[in-house]
Amino acid sequence: MGSPHPLRRALALLAVGATALAVGTGSTGSTGTTSAAADAAGAGAPAAHRGAAGVHVRPASAGHVNAAGRTAPLTTSQCVSELGIHCYSPLQYREAYNLNPLYQEGVTGKGRTIVLVDSFGSPTIQHDLEVFDQQWGLPNTQVEVVKWGDVPPFDPTNPDHTGWAGEATLDVEYAHAIAPDAHIILVETGVAETEGTTGLPEMMDAEQALIRSGRADVISQSFGATENTFPGFDKGDFRSLTDLRYAFKEAAAHDVTVLASSGDNGATDAKENGTDLYPYRVNSWPSSDPLVTSVGGTQLTLDDAGRRTAPDKVWHDAYGAGGGGVSGVFERPLYQSGVARVTGNHRGTPDISMSAAVDGGAWTYESYDPTRAGWHLTGGTSEAAPILSGVVALADQLAGHRLGQLNWRLYGLDLLPEKWSGLVDVTSGDNSWGGVTGYQATKGYDLASGLGTIDATRFVHALAGR
């Protein structure tokens, strides 16, 4: 089957660098690290699931230019002038999504835990987060690292390791930026393609164990594999995929919210080799799972202060497009009955969308590779998912409990006026990509932006019912 690849583009790392910044890989603060070996006892998937999804993991940045790190981030106007694209800071996202009133109310994610799952992780995650926080005046937090399985020593010359390290950095920095007082757990899985080890089962095992131990409120996943690449798909036998759903069933039973990026290849996605795209519309899992909230991509146009100068539109630029379409595996869930005219008889994605455009990329600080340490721009729906994970943590705090499966609430809110629901319709753009005609954003639900995007203050209060 295809690789569960990090959905991060520079297309994950834009060629924006000038002079490399020589920064060591040592941390200014220790990262809390937990071995998951003991936690795994009795918490893993049934033996039949083992090896059901042997994968070759590859980073999404393969084949793209990785820039030398900048010594400091640029403003949006500087990016437009010098690079020809927009770039944004976490403070601009806070303004754009109307998050600041929540912080003033004391809604910061305090008491809630966000779990982020990334193969290999990053050896400099704590240091990099501290530099990121200092730059933007954010409160620092201690990242808890859970090593799941045999995680190999980090090799900065291994593109698999650095690709996932960049993904881990993006996930941690932006989940934290949105929910500054939430506890962050970074799960590092030990996937090594040279050994033919499992990929998705290992990730699902880790998630299931953390859910069972009561340590997860929100899980954000910036990886996926095209449904068509699972063994048996072409014969209508979906067991190699559906046998992996045990973590999501566990999440539903424990009221844990699960998010997944919808993909960066518009209405198509990668074949088994992880590089070539299908010449027709496909969808990817876990985004397509009915127990998961699929997070698509939008393009924001902001000024230096984070104020919109144009309405959001579906992400579709020179670097990629937001994933979306109908599942080839799952029937339409009950919560999508009201949008059956759009989805037909199958599960439609995405459910909701957040910032993902590379022309509108997010600044991250990364030093896991000392040859290119510094500030980089990152885009993709793997930016959108951790941003939304922070928003859900805020809603959990305000509600005083986990909100659990989000989709039932989302499609219910869509029946309310925007001023009450906080849902903001996205009506322009499409997700065509790779020669495959995608879906057009329209009024109401569509397969390019889902239900649209959010005004976070209204949205969080609506989700929490307060």
Side-chain angles (χ1 to χ4, degrees), residues 76 87-97 302-306:
T76 300
C87 60
Y88 303 131
S89 76
L91 303 185
Q92 288 170 282
Y93 289 125
R94 286 179 163 200
E95 176 66 25
Y97 287 119
L302 310 176
D303 64 16
D304 287 354

Side-chain angles (χ1 to χ4, degrees), residues 29-36 39 122-123 125-126 142-148 151 183-186 188 215:
S30 62
T31 301
T33 304
T34 304
S35 170
D39 294 337
S122 167
I125 192 62
Q126 186 66 38
Q142 190 76 19
V143 180
E144 179 182 353
V145 175
V146 172
K147 292 185 179 293
W148 187 268
V151 181
H183 181 53
I184 304 290
I185 297 179
L186 174 62
E188 301 177 352
R215 309 202 57 221

Side-chain angles (χ1 to χ4, degrees), residues 149-333:
D150 184 15
V151 181
F154 187 81
D155 178 2
T157 67
N158 184 326
D160 276 334
H161 288 200
T162 56
W164 281 98
E167 180 58 61
T169 303
L170 172 66
D171 288 350
V172 168
E173 290 179 354
Y174 277 85
H176 170 63
I178 302 303
D181 288 333
H183 181 53
I184 304 290
I185 297 179
L186 174 62
V187 179
E188 301 177 352
T189 62
V191 181
E193 84 289 345
T194 55
E195 300 172 8
T197 55
T198 58
L200 287 168
E202 190 170 20
M203 292 168 165
M204 296 302 105
D205 287 356
E207 292 180 16
Q208 184 186 54
L210 285 167
I211 293 165
R212 285 184 172 178
S213 65
R215 309 202 57 221
D217 294 317
V218 188
I219 297 175
S220 182
Q221 305 167 116
S222 292
F223 55 82
T226 309
E227 291 177 337
N228 307 54
T229 63
F230 283 80
F233 179 91
D234 57 344
K235 299 179 177 63
D237 181 356
F238 306 136
R239 286 175 294 178
S240 64
L241 185 156
T242 56
D243 282 353
L244 291 168
R245 303 183 70 216
Y246 49 90
F248 304 153
K249 293 176 182 178
E250 198 80 44
H254 289 83
D255 291 327
V256 174
T257 302
V258 183
L259 313 176
S261 304
S262 69
D264 293 354
N265 293 308
T268 185
D269 215 335
K271 294 183 178 181
E272 291 183 9
N273 62 16
T275 303
D276 297 329
L277 300 177
Y278 282 92
Y280 46 83
R281 295 171 173 176
V282 297
N283 212 319
S284 65
W285 187 87
S287 167
S288 65
D289 200 294
L291 296 177
V292 171
T293 295
S294 173
V295 189
T298 54
Q299 182 175 34
L300 278 65
T301 307
L302 310 176
D303 64 16
D304 287 354
R307 295 182 293 258
R308 280 180 174 79
T309 59
D312 296 1
K313 61 182 180 180
V314 174
W315 170 38
H316 179 179
D317 57 26
Y319 307 94
V326 293
S327 172
V329 175
F330 299 103
E331 295 181 356
R332 185 186 68 246

